[in-house]
Coordinates of all heavy atoms in Angstrom, one line a residue:
M188 N 33.7 -15.9 26.2 CA 34.0 -15.8 27.6 C 35.5 -16.0 27.9 O 36.1 -16.8 27.3 CB 33.2 -16.8 28.4 CG 31.7 -16.6 28.4 SD 30.7 -18.0 28.8 CE 30.7 -18.9 27.3
A189 N 36.0 -15.3 28.9 CA 37.2 -15.7 29.4 C 37.0 -16.6 30.6 O 35.8 -16.7 31.1 CB 38.0 -14.5 29.9
L190 N 38.0 -17.3 31.0 CA 37.8 -18.3 32.1 C 38.5 -17.7 33.4 O 39.3 -16.7 33.3 CB 38.4 -19.6 31.8 CG 37.8 -20.3 30.6 CD1 38.3 -21.7 30.4 CD2 36.2 -20.3 30.7
L191 N 38.2 -18.3 34.5 CA 38.6 -17.8 35.8 C 39.0 -19.0 36.7 O 38.3 -20.0 36.7 CB 37.4 -17.1 36.5 CG 37.5 -16.5 37.9 CD1 38.5 -15.3 37.8 CD2 36.2 -16.1 38.4
I192 N 40.1 -18.9 37.4 CA 40.6 -19.9 38.3 C 40.1 -19.6 39.7 O 40.3 -18.5 40.2 CB 42.1 -20.0 38.3 CG1 42.6 -20.5 36.9 CG2 42.6 -21.0 39.4 CD1 44.1 -20.4 36.7
T193 N 39.4 -20.6 40.4 CA 38.9 -20.3 41.7 C 39.9 -20.7 42.8 O 41.0 -21.2 42.5 CB 37.6 -21.2 42.0 OG1 38.0 -22.5 42.1 CG2 36.6 -21.0 40.8
D194 N 39.6 -20.3 44.0 CA 40.5 -20.6 45.1 C 40.7 -22.0 45.5 O 41.4 -22.4 46.4 CB 40.2 -19.7 46.3 CG 38.8 -20.1 46.9 OD1 38.2 -21.0 46.4 OD2 38.4 -19.3 47.8
Q195 N 40.1 -22.9 44.7 CA 40.3 -24.4 44.9 C 41.6 -24.8 44.2 O 42.1 -25.9 44.4 CB 39.2 -25.2 44.2 CG 37.8 -24.8 44.7 CD 37.7 -25.2 46.2 OE1 37.9 -26.3 46.6 NE2 37.3 -24.2 47.0
C196 N 42.3 -23.9 43.5 CA 43.5 -24.2 42.8 C 44.6 -24.7 43.8 O 44.8 -24.1 44.8 CB 44.0 -22.9 42.1 SG 45.6 -23.0 41.4
I197 N 45.3 -25.7 43.4 CA 46.4 -26.3 44.2 C 47.8 -25.9 43.7 O 48.8 -26.5 44.1 CB 46.2 -27.8 44.3 CG1 46.3 -28.5 42.9 CG2 44.9 -28.2 45.1 CD1 46.3 -30.0 42.9
N198 N 47.8 -25.0 42.8 CA 49.1 -24.5 42.3 C 50.0 -25.6 41.7 O 51.2 -25.6 41.9 CB 49.9 -23.8 43.4 CG 49.2 -22.5 43.8 OD1 48.8 -21.7 42.9 ND2 49.0 -22.3 45.1
C199 N 49.4 -26.4 40.8 CA 50.1 -27.5 40.3 C 50.9 -27.1 39.0 O 51.8 -27.9 38.6 CB 49.2 -28.7 40.0 SG 48.1 -28.4 38.5
D200 N 50.5 -26.0 38.4 CA 51.3 -25.5 37.3 C 51.0 -26.2 36.0 O 51.6 -25.9 35.0 CB 52.8 -25.5 37.6 CG 53.6 -24.6 36.6 OD1 53.0 -23.7 36.0 OD2 54.8 -24.9 36.4
V201 N 50.0 -27.1 35.9 CA 49.7 -27.8 34.7 C 49.1 -26.9 33.7 O 49.5 -26.9 32.5 CB 48.8 -29.0 35.0 CG1 48.2 -29.6 33.7 CG2 49.5 -30.1 35.8
C202 N 48.1 -26.1 34.1 CA 47.4 -25.3 33.1 C 48.3 -24.2 32.4 O 48.1 -23.9 31.3 CB 46.2 -24.6 33.8 SG 46.7 -23.5 35.2
E203 N 49.2 -23.7 33.2 CA 50.1 -22.6 32.6 C 50.8 -23.2 31.4 O 50.9 -22.5 30.3 CB 51.1 -22.1 33.6 CG 52.0 -21.1 33.1 CD 53.1 -20.7 34.1 OE1 53.4 -21.5 35.0 OE2 53.7 -19.6 33.9
Q204 N 51.3 -24.4 31.5 CA 52.0 -25.0 30.4 C 51.1 -25.4 29.2 O 51.6 -25.5 28.1 CB 52.8 -26.2 30.9 CG 53.8 -25.9 32.0 CD 54.3 -27.1 32.7 OE1 54.8 -28.0 32.0 NE2 54.3 -27.1 34.0
E205 N 49.9 -25.6 29.5 CA 48.9 -26.0 28.4 C 48.3 -24.9 27.6 O 47.8 -25.1 26.5 CB 47.8 -26.9 29.0 CG 48.3 -28.2 29.6 CD 48.9 -29.2 28.6 OE1 48.6 -29.0 27.4 OE2 49.7 -30.0 29.0
C206 N 48.3 -23.7 28.2 CA 47.6 -22.5 27.6 C 48.4 -22.1 26.3 O 49.5 -21.7 26.4 CB 47.5 -21.4 28.6 SG 46.7 -20.0 27.9
P207 N 47.7 -22.0 25.2 CA 48.3 -21.6 23.9 C 48.5 -20.1 23.8 O 49.1 -19.6 22.9 CB 47.4 -22.2 22.9 CG 46.0 -22.1 23.5 CD 46.3 -22.4 25.0
N208 N 47.8 -19.4 24.7 CA 47.9 -17.9 24.6 C 48.7 -17.2 25.7 O 48.7 -16.0 25.8 CB 46.4 -17.3 24.7 CG 45.6 -17.7 23.5 OD1 46.2 -17.8 22.4 ND2 44.3 -17.8 23.6
Q209 N 49.4 -18.0 26.5 CA 50.2 -17.5 27.6 C 49.3 -16.6 28.5 O 49.7 -15.5 28.9 CB 51.4 -16.7 27.1 CG 52.5 -17.6 26.5 CD 52.2 -18.0 25.1 OE1 51.9 -17.1 24.3 NE2 52.3 -19.2 24.7
A210 N 48.1 -17.1 28.7 CA 47.1 -16.3 29.5 C 47.2 -16.6 31.0 O 46.6 -15.9 31.8 CB 45.7 -16.5 29.0
I211 N 47.9 -17.6 31.4 CA 47.9 -18.1 32.8 C 49.3 -17.8 33.4 O 50.3 -18.2 32.8 CB 47.6 -19.6 32.8 CG1 46.2 -19.9 32.2 CG2 47.6 -20.0 34.3 CD1 45.8 -21.3 32.1
T212 N 49.2 -17.2 34.6 CA 50.5 -17.0 35.3 C 50.3 -17.3 36.8 O 49.1 -17.3 37.3 CB 50.9 -15.5 35.2 OG1 49.8 -14.7 35.6 CG2 51.3 -15.2 33.7
Q213 N 51.4 -17.4 37.5 CA 51.3 -17.6 39.0 C 51.0 -16.3 39.6 O 51.7 -15.3 39.4 CB 52.7 -18.1 39.5 CG 52.8 -18.1 41.0 CD 52.3 -19.4 41.6 OE1 52.9 -20.4 41.4 NE2 51.2 -19.3 42.4
G214 N 49.9 -16.2 40.4 CA 49.5 -15.0 41.1 C 50.1 -15.0 42.5 O 50.9 -15.8 42.8
D215 N 49.6 -14.1 43.3 CA 50.1 -14.0 44.7 C 49.8 -15.3 45.5 O 50.7 -15.8 46.2 CB 49.4 -12.9 45.4 CG 49.9 -11.5 44.9 OD1 51.0 -11.5 44.2 OD2 49.3 -10.5 45.1
E216 N 48.6 -15.9 45.3 CA 48.3 -17.1 46.1 C 47.9 -18.3 45.2 O 48.2 -19.4 45.5 CB 47.1 -16.8 47.0 CG 47.4 -15.8 48.0 CD 46.3 -15.5 49.0 OE1 45.2 -16.2 48.8 OE2 46.4 -14.6 49.8
I217 N 47.3 -18.0 44.0 CA 46.9 -19.1 43.1 C 47.3 -18.6 41.7 O 47.6 -17.5 41.5 CB 45.4 -19.5 43.2 CG1 44.6 -18.3 42.9 CG2 45.1 -20.1 44.5 CD1 43.1 -18.6 42.8
F218 N 47.1 -19.5 40.7 CA 47.3 -19.2 39.3 C 46.2 -18.3 38.9 O 45.0 -18.4 39.4 CB 47.5 -20.4 38.5 CG 48.9 -21.0 38.5 CD1 49.4 -21.6 39.6 CD2 49.8 -20.8 37.4 CE1 50.7 -22.1 39.7 CE2 51.1 -21.3 37.5 CZ 51.5 -21.9 38.6
V219 N 46.4 -17.4 37.9 CA 45.4 -16.5 37.5 C 45.4 -16.5 35.9 O 46.4 -16.7 35.3 CB 45.6 -15.1 38.0 CG1 45.5 -15.0 39.5 CG2 47.0 -14.5 37.6
I220 N 44.2 -16.1 35.4 CA 44.0 -16.0 34.0 C 43.8 -14.6 33.6 O 43.0 -13.9 34.2 CB 42.8 -16.9 33.5 CG1 43.0 -18.4 33.8 CG2 42.5 -16.6 32.0 CD1 41.8 -19.3 33.5
D221 N 44.6 -14.1 32.6 CA 44.4 -12.8 32.1 C 43.3 -12.8 31.1 O 43.4 -13.4 30.0 CB 45.7 -12.3 31.4 CG 45.6 -11.0 30.7 OD1 44.5 -10.4 30.7 OD2 46.6 -10.4 30.3
P222 N 42.1 -12.2 31.4 CA 41.0 -12.3 30.5 C 41.2 -11.6 29.2 O 40.5 -11.9 28.2 CB 39.9 -11.5 31.3 CG 40.6 -10.6 32.3 CD 41.9 -11.3 32.6
D223 N 42.2 -10.8 29.1 CA 42.5 -10.2 27.8 C 43.3 -11.1 26.8 O 43.4 -10.8 25.7 CB 43.3 -8.9 27.9 CG 42.4 -7.8 28.6 OD1 41.2 -7.8 28.4 OD2 43.0 -6.9 29.3
R224 N 43.8 -12.2 27.4 CA 44.5 -13.2 26.6 C 43.8 -14.5 26.5 O 44.2 -15.4 25.7 CB 45.9 -13.4 27.2 CG 46.8 -12.2 27.2 CD 48.2 -12.6 27.5 NE 48.8 -13.4 26.4 CZ 49.4 -12.9 25.3 NH1 49.4 -11.6 25.1 NH2 49.8 -13.7 24.4
C225 N 42.7 -14.7 27.3 CA 42.0 -16.0 27.2 C 40.9 -16.0 26.2 O 40.0 -15.1 26.2 CB 41.4 -16.3 28.6 SG 40.4 -17.8 28.5
T226 N 41.0 -16.9 25.2 CA 40.0 -17.0 24.1 C 39.2 -18.2 24.3 O 38.5 -18.6 23.4 CB 40.7 -17.0 22.7 OG1 41.5 -18.3 22.7 CG2 41.6 -15.8 22.5
E227 N 39.2 -18.8 25.5 CA 38.6 -20.1 25.7 C 39.2 -21.2 24.7 O 38.6 -22.1 24.3 CB 37.1 -20.1 25.5 CG 36.4 -19.8 26.8 CD 35.0 -20.2 26.8 OE1 34.7 -21.4 26.9 OE2 34.1 -19.3 26.7
C228 N 40.4 -20.9 24.3 CA 41.2 -21.7 23.3 C 40.6 -21.6 21.9 O 41.1 -22.4 21.0 CB 41.3 -23.1 23.8 SG 42.5 -23.3 25.2
V229 N 39.7 -20.7 21.7 CA 39.2 -20.5 20.3 C 40.4 -20.1 19.4 O 41.2 -19.3 19.8 CB 38.1 -19.4 20.3 CG1 37.9 -19.0 18.8 CG2 36.8 -20.0 20.9
G230 N 40.5 -20.7 18.3 CA 41.6 -20.5 17.3 C 42.7 -21.5 17.5 O 43.5 -21.7 16.6
H231 N 42.7 -22.2 18.6 CA 43.8 -23.2 18.8 C 43.2 -24.7 19.0 O 43.7 -25.6 18.4 CB 44.6 -22.9 20.1 CG 45.4 -21.6 20.0 ND1 46.5 -21.5 19.3 CD2 45.1 -20.4 20.5 CE1 47.0 -20.3 19.4 NE2 46.1 -19.6 20.1
Y232 N 42.2 -24.8 19.9 CA 41.7 -26.1 20.2 C 40.1 -26.1 20.3 O 39.5 -25.0 20.4 CB 42.2 -26.6 21.6 CG 43.7 -26.7 21.6 CD1 44.4 -25.7 22.3 CD2 44.3 -27.8 21.1 CE1 45.8 -25.8 22.4 CE2 45.7 -27.9 21.2 CZ 46.4 -26.9 21.8 OH 47.8 -27.1 21.9
D233 N 39.5 -27.2 20.2 CA 38.1 -27.3 20.3 C 37.6 -27.1 21.7 O 36.4 -26.6 21.9 CB 37.6 -28.7 19.8 CG 37.7 -28.9 18.4 OD1 37.9 -27.9 17.6 OD2 37.8 -30.1 17.9
R234 N 38.4 -27.4 22.7 CA 38.0 -27.2 24.1 C 39.1 -26.5 24.9 O 40.3 -26.7 24.6 CB 37.7 -28.6 24.7 CG 36.4 -29.2 24.2 CD 36.0 -30.4 25.0 NE 36.6 -31.6 24.4 CZ 36.3 -32.8 24.7 NH1 35.3 -33.0 25.6 NH2 36.9 -33.8 24.2
P235 N 38.7 -25.8 25.9 CA 39.7 -25.1 26.8 C 40.7 -26.1 27.4 O 40.3 -27.0 28.1 CB 38.8 -24.5 27.9 CG 37.5 -24.3 27.3 CD 37.3 -25.5 26.3
Q236 N 41.9 -25.9 27.1 CA 42.9 -26.9 27.5 C 43.2 -26.8 29.0 O 43.5 -27.8 29.6 CB 44.2 -26.6 26.7 CG 44.1 -26.9 25.3 CD 43.7 -28.4 25.0 OE1 44.5 -29.3 25.3 NE2 42.5 -28.6 24.5
C237 N 43.0 -25.7 29.6 CA 43.2 -25.6 31.0 C 42.2 -26.4 31.8 O 42.5 -27.1 32.7 CB 43.2 -24.1 31.5 SG 41.7 -23.2 31.0
I238 N 40.9 -26.3 31.3 CA 39.9 -27.1 32.0 C 40.1 -28.6 31.7 O 40.0 -29.5 32.6 CB 38.5 -26.7 31.4 CG1 38.1 -25.4 31.9 CG2 37.4 -27.8 31.8 CD1 36.8 -24.9 31.4
E239 N 40.6 -28.9 30.5 CA 40.8 -30.4 30.2 C 41.9 -31.0 31.1 O 41.8 -32.1 31.4 CB 41.3 -30.4 28.7 CG 40.3 -30.1 27.7 CD 39.4 -31.3 27.4 OE1 39.9 -32.4 27.0 OE2 38.2 -31.2 27.6
H240 N 42.9 -30.2 31.5 CA 44.0 -30.7 32.2 C 44.0 -30.4 33.7 O 44.8 -31.0 34.5 CB 45.3 -30.2 31.6 CG 45.6 -30.8 30.3 ND1 45.2 -30.2 29.1 CD2 46.2 -31.9 29.9 CE1 45.5 -30.9 28.1 NE2 46.2 -31.9 28.5
C241 N 43.2 -29.5 34.2 CA 43.2 -29.2 35.6 C 42.7 -30.4 36.4 O 41.6 -30.9 36.2 CB 42.3 -28.0 35.9 SG 42.2 -27.6 37.7
P242 N 43.6 -30.8 37.4 CA 43.2 -32.1 38.2 C 42.1 -31.9 39.2 O 41.6 -32.8 39.7 CB 44.6 -32.4 38.8 CG 45.3 -31.1 39.0 CD 44.9 -30.3 37.8
V243 N 41.8 -30.6 39.5 CA 40.8 -30.4 40.6 C 39.6 -29.6 40.1 O 38.7 -29.2 40.9 CB 41.4 -29.7 41.8 CG1 42.5 -30.5 42.5 CG2 42.0 -28.3 41.4
D244 N 39.5 -29.5 38.8 CA 38.3 -28.8 38.2 C 37.9 -27.5 38.8 O 36.8 -27.3 39.2 CB 37.1 -29.8 38.3 CG 37.3 -31.0 37.4 OD1 38.0 -30.9 36.4 OD2 36.7 -32.1 37.8
C245 N 38.9 -26.6 38.9 CA 38.7 -25.3 39.6 C 38.7 -24.2 38.6 O 38.8 -23.0 39.1 CB 39.7 -25.1 40.7 SG 41.4 -24.8 40.0
I246 N 38.4 -24.4 37.3 CA 38.4 -23.3 36.4 C 37.0 -23.2 35.8 O 36.4 -24.2 35.3 CB 39.4 -23.6 35.2 CG1 40.8 -23.8 35.8 CG2 39.4 -22.4 34.2 CD1 41.9 -24.3 34.8
I247 N 36.5 -22.0 35.9 CA 35.1 -21.7 35.6 C 35.0 -20.5 34.6 O 36.0 -19.8 34.4 CB 34.2 -21.4 36.8 CG1 34.8 -20.1 37.5 CG2 34.2 -22.6 37.8 CD1 33.9 -19.6 38.6
V248 N 33.8 -20.3 34.1 CA 33.6 -19.1 33.2 C 33.7 -17.8 34.1 O 33.1 -17.8 35.2 CB 32.3 -19.2 32.5 CG1 31.9 -17.8 31.8 CG2 32.3 -20.3 31.5
N249 N 34.4 -16.8 33.6 CA 34.5 -15.6 34.3 C 33.2 -14.8 34.1 O 32.9 -14.4 33.0 CB 35.7 -14.7 33.8 CG 35.9 -13.5 34.6 OD1 35.0 -12.9 35.2 ND2 37.1 -13.0 34.5
P250 N 32.3 -14.6 35.2 CA 31.0 -14.0 34.9 C 31.1 -12.5 34.5 O 30.2 -12.0 34.0 CB 30.4 -14.1 36.3 CG 31.5 -14.3 37.3 CD 32.6 -15.0 36.6
E251 N 32.3 -12.0 34.7 CA 32.5 -10.6 34.3 C 33.0 -10.4 32.9 O 33.2 -9.3 32.4 CB 33.4 -9.8 35.3 CG 32.8 -9.8 36.7 CD 33.8 -9.0 37.6 OE1 34.9 -8.6 37.2 OE2 33.4 -8.9 38.8
R252 N 33.3 -11.6 32.2 CA 33.8 -11.5 30.9 C 33.1 -12.5 30.0 O 33.7 -13.4 29.4 CB 35.3 -11.8 30.9 CG 36.2 -10.7 31.5 CD 36.1 -9.4 30.6 NE 36.7 -9.5 29.4 CZ 37.9 -9.1 29.0 NH1 38.6 -8.5 29.9 NH2 38.4 -9.3 27.8
V253 N 31.8 -12.3 29.8 CA 31.0 -13.1 28.9 C 31.2 -12.6 27.5 O 30.8 -11.5 27.2 CB 29.5 -13.1 29.3 CG1 28.7 -14.0 28.4 CG2 29.4 -13.7 30.8
E254 N 31.7 -13.5 26.6 CA 32.0 -13.1 25.2 C 31.6 -14.3 24.3 O 31.8 -15.4 24.6 CB 33.5 -12.9 25.0 CG 34.0 -11.7 25.9 CD 35.5 -11.8 26.1 OE1 36.0 -12.8 26.5 OE2 36.2 -10.8 25.8
G255 N 31.0 -13.9 23.2 CA 30.5 -14.9 22.2 C 31.7 -15.4 21.3 O 32.8 -14.9 21.4
P256 N 31.4 -16.4 20.5 CA 32.4 -16.9 19.6 C 33.1 -15.9 18.7 O 34.3 -15.9 18.5 CB 31.6 -17.9 18.7 CG 30.4 -18.2 19.5 CD 30.1 -17.0 20.3
D257 N 32.3 -14.9 18.2 CA 32.9 -13.9 17.3 C 33.9 -13.0 18.1 O 35.0 -12.7 17.6 CB 31.8 -13.0 16.7 CG 30.9 -13.8 15.7 OD1 31.4 -14.9 15.3 OD2 29.9 -13.2 15.3
A258 N 33.5 -12.7 19.3 CA 34.4 -11.9 20.1 C 35.7 -12.6 20.5 O 36.8 -12.1 20.5 CB 33.7 -11.4 21.4
L259 N 35.5 -13.9 20.7 CA 36.7 -14.7 21.1 C 37.6 -14.9 19.9 O 38.8 -14.8 20.0 CB 36.2 -16.1 21.6 CG 35.5 -16.1 23.0 CD1 34.9 -17.4 23.2 CD2 36.5 -15.7 24.1
L260 N 37.0 -15.1 18.7 CA 37.8 -15.2 17.5 C 38.6 -13.9 17.2 O 39.7 -13.9 16.8 CB 37.0 -15.6 16.3 CG 37.7 -16.0 15.0 CD1 38.6 -17.2 15.3 CD2 36.7 -16.4 14.0
A261 N 37.9 -12.8 17.4 CA 38.5 -11.5 17.2 C 39.7 -11.3 18.2 O 40.7 -10.7 17.9 CB 37.5 -10.4 17.4
K262 N 39.5 -11.7 19.4 CA 40.6 -11.6 20.4 C 41.8 -12.5 20.0 O 42.9 -12.1 20.1 CB 40.0 -12.1 21.8 CG 41.0 -11.7 23.0 CD 40.6 -12.4 24.2 CE 39.2 -12.1 24.7 NZ 38.9 -12.7 26.1
Y263 N 41.5 -13.7 19.5 CA 42.5 -14.6 19.0 C 43.3 -13.9 17.9 O 44.5 -13.9 17.9 CB 41.9 -15.9 18.6 CG 42.8 -16.7 17.7 CD1 43.9 -17.4 18.2 CD2 42.5 -16.7 16.3 CE1 44.7 -18.2 17.3 CE2 43.4 -17.5 15.4 CZ 44.4 -18.2 16.0 OH 45.2 -18.9 15.1
R264 N 42.6 -13.3 17.0 CA 43.3 -12.7 15.8 C 44.1 -11.5 16.3 O 45.2 -11.3 15.8 CB 42.2 -12.3 14.8 CG 41.6 -13.5 14.1 CD 40.6 -13.0 13.0 NE 40.2 -14.2 12.2 CZ 39.0 -14.3 11.7 NH1 38.0 -13.4 12.0 NH2 38.7 -15.4 11.0
G265 N 43.6 -10.8 17.3 CA 44.3 -9.7 17.8 C 45.6 -10.2 18.5 O 46.7 -9.6 18.3
L266 N 45.5 -11.3 19.2 CA 46.7 -11.8 19.9 C 47.8 -12.3 18.9 O 49.0 -12.2 19.1 CB 46.3 -13.0 20.8 CG 45.5 -12.6 22.1 CD1 45.0 -13.9 22.7 CD2 46.4 -11.8 23.0
M267 N 47.3 -12.8 17.7 CA 48.2 -13.3 16.7 C 48.6 -12.2 15.7 O 49.4 -12.5 14.8 CB 47.4 -14.4 15.9 CG 47.0 -15.6 16.7 SD 48.5 -16.5 17.3 CE 48.0 -16.6 19.1
G268 N 48.2 -11.0 16.0 CA 48.5 -9.9 15.1 C 47.9 -10.0 13.7 O 48.4 -9.6 12.7
R269 N 46.7 -10.6 13.7 CA 46.0 -10.8 12.4 C 44.7 -10.0 12.3 O 43.8 -10.4 11.6 CB 45.7 -12.3 12.2 CG 46.9 -13.2 12.1 CD 46.5 -14.6 11.9 NE 47.5 -15.5 12.1 CZ 47.4 -16.8 12.4 NH1 46.1 -17.3 12.5 NH2 48.4 -17.6 12.7
L270 N 44.6 -8.9 12.9 CA 43.4 -8.1 12.8 C 43.4 -7.4 11.5 O 44.4 -7.0 11.0 CB 43.4 -7.1 14.0 CG 42.8 -7.5 15.3 CD1 42.8 -6.4 16.3 CD2 41.4 -8.0 15.1
Ligands
SF4_433 FE1 44.4 -20.4 28.1 FE2 42.6 -21.7 26.7 FE3 42.5 -21.8 29.4 FE4 41.9 -19.5 28.1 S1 40.8 -21.5 28.0 S2 43.3 -19.7 29.9 S3 43.3 -19.6 26.4 S4 44.1 -22.7 28.1
SF4_434 FE1 45.5 -24.5 39.6 FE2 44.1 -26.2 38.1 FE3 46.0 -24.6 37.0 FE4 46.7 -26.6 38.6 S1 45.7 -26.8 36.6 S2 47.5 -24.5 38.6 S3 45.0 -26.6 40.1 S4 44.1 -24.0 38.0

């Protein structure tokens, strides 16, 4: 699964700095996650770092991007150029 930032985001910029895949950027109103770059931190960490660090718990699973561990690992390898 990729993750999604809800409109509860307070634009604190913490998650952008913690993301190992550069999947998070400042959007028009709140920070946004690029689902093509979010591996749920698979390949880097045991747990999603954005969720770990978000002070207001506003990051959820993107219901439109449900992906299993194999798909997330394949995405990670693609991002690393290791396909
Ligand atoms: Fe980045 Fe990991 Fe959060 Fe996905 S789960 S946006 S890869 S920090
Ligand atoms: Fe928004 Fe949470 Fe990221 Fe801060 S850490 S910018 S509140 S999603």
Side-chain angles (χ1 to χ4, degrees):
M188 293 162 275
L190 301 185
L191 179 71
I192 296 173
T193 71
D194 61 9
Q195 304 296 305
C196 172
I197 58 171
N198 291 313
C199 71
D200 195 23
V201 168
C202 58
E203 179 184 23
Q204 298 170 52
E205 298 293 339
C206 179
N208 290 330
Q209 291 80 49
I211 303 175
T212 54
Q213 170 88 68
D215 289 340
E216 296 182 3
I217 57 172
F218 279 72
V219 294
I220 295 175
D221 178 352
D223 292 330
R224 297 193 66 86
C225 175
T226 65
E227 273 201 69
C228 286
V229 166
H231 295 283
Y232 300 103
D233 290 339
R234 285 189 276 193
Q236 293 302 291
C237 53
I238 289 179
E239 290 280 299
H240 291 90
C241 178
V243 295
D244 295 330
C245 68
I246 304 174
I247 62 172
V248 170
N249 185 337
E251 296 181 359
R252 289 295 294 261
V253 178
E254 298 158 309
D257 291 346
L259 292 171
L260 191 57
K262 193 192 299 186
Y263 161 76
R264 288 180 173 147
L266 290 170
M267 296 297 129
R269 292 184 200 158
L270 276 179

